Amino acid sequence: MNPNTPSLYERLGGEEMITALIPAFYVRVLADPELGHFFKNTELEKLHAMQREFFVMATGGPIQYSGRPLAHTHHGRGITRQHFARFTGHLVETLLDMNVTREEADEVIDRINAMTNEITGASY
Ligand code: HEM
């Protein structure tokens, strides 16, 4: 990639945008009758902080994710590919609502989809 090409992180709007994105996204996830129950014992403030770090890192921004490996956090919870698809659907809607272009939203989703097995476990 051309070193002068701005990273996805920069094109999305950097730290400010991602800081706004995470809570708006989880409002949708928690309101989803098929997803909300996964989070009933989760400390949301910590989840937001970890997810924010993770997103900055995954989009090429300057923060190193300090949380647990995704497979440790997610395997054994019974998260299926259908759950995963609903989760990414909410992410696309949140991004489009925040005036991210369809092309950039697709780039985010490509990166997220690459992590499917870490979240669902290959057996689901
Ligand atoms: C690629 C998609 C996903 C990414 C990048 C992701 C990322 C993360 C991160 C960074 C954390 C915090 C880990 C920590 O505390 O150390 C987390 C926690 C969590 N995630 Fe995900 N996640 C994804 C998909 C999902 C899906 C589809 C579900 C359920 C439908 C889910 C359910 C959870 C739950 C319940 C927790 C909290 C665990 C706890 O209470 O300790 N995640 N996720």
Side-chain angles (χ1 to χ4, degrees):
M1 195 170 78
N2 182 331
N4 298 321
T5 306
S7 65
L8 180 56
Y9 169 79
E10 287 167 307
R11 283 180 282 131
L12 288 173
E15 191 172 347
E16 198 179 319
M17 188 279 185
I18 290 178
T19 301
L21 169 71
I22 299 301
F25 167 54
Y26 276 104
V27 165
R28 290 173 188 257
V29 171
L30 297 180
D32 183 325
E34 293 187 31
L35 301 181
H37 67 93
F38 284 104
F39 297 89
K40 67 178 187 297
N41 296 320
T42 296
E43 201 191 309
L44 293 179
E45 218 168 289
K46 180 174 172 243
L47 175 69
H48 286 185
M50 288 298 112
Q51 194 54 276
R52 185 180 153 277
E53 283 185 4
F54 190 87
F55 254 77
V56 172
M57 185 181 75
T59 55
I63 294 181
Q64 199 58 38
Y65 169 62
S66 68
R68 292 170 290 168
L70 291 190
H72 284 198
T73 319
H74 296 86
H75 283 189
R77 292 183 187 271
I79 303 172
T80 65
R81 283 174 183 265
Q82 282 71 30
H83 295 129
F84 188 87
R86 291 183 77 89
F87 186 88
T88 51
H90 291 306
L91 183 57
V92 173
E93 283 173 15
T94 315
L95 288 164
L96 295 178
D97 257 16
M98 292 176 77
N99 295 323
V100 167
T101 64
R102 174 53 77 170
E103 289 70 28
E104 280 159 357
D106 285 346
E107 267 189 73
V108 174
I109 296 306
D110 284 349
R111 295 190 192 203
I112 295 292
N113 280 339
M115 299 163 203
T116 312
N117 282 347
E118 284 174 72
I119 304 297
T120 62
S123 60
Y124 285 100

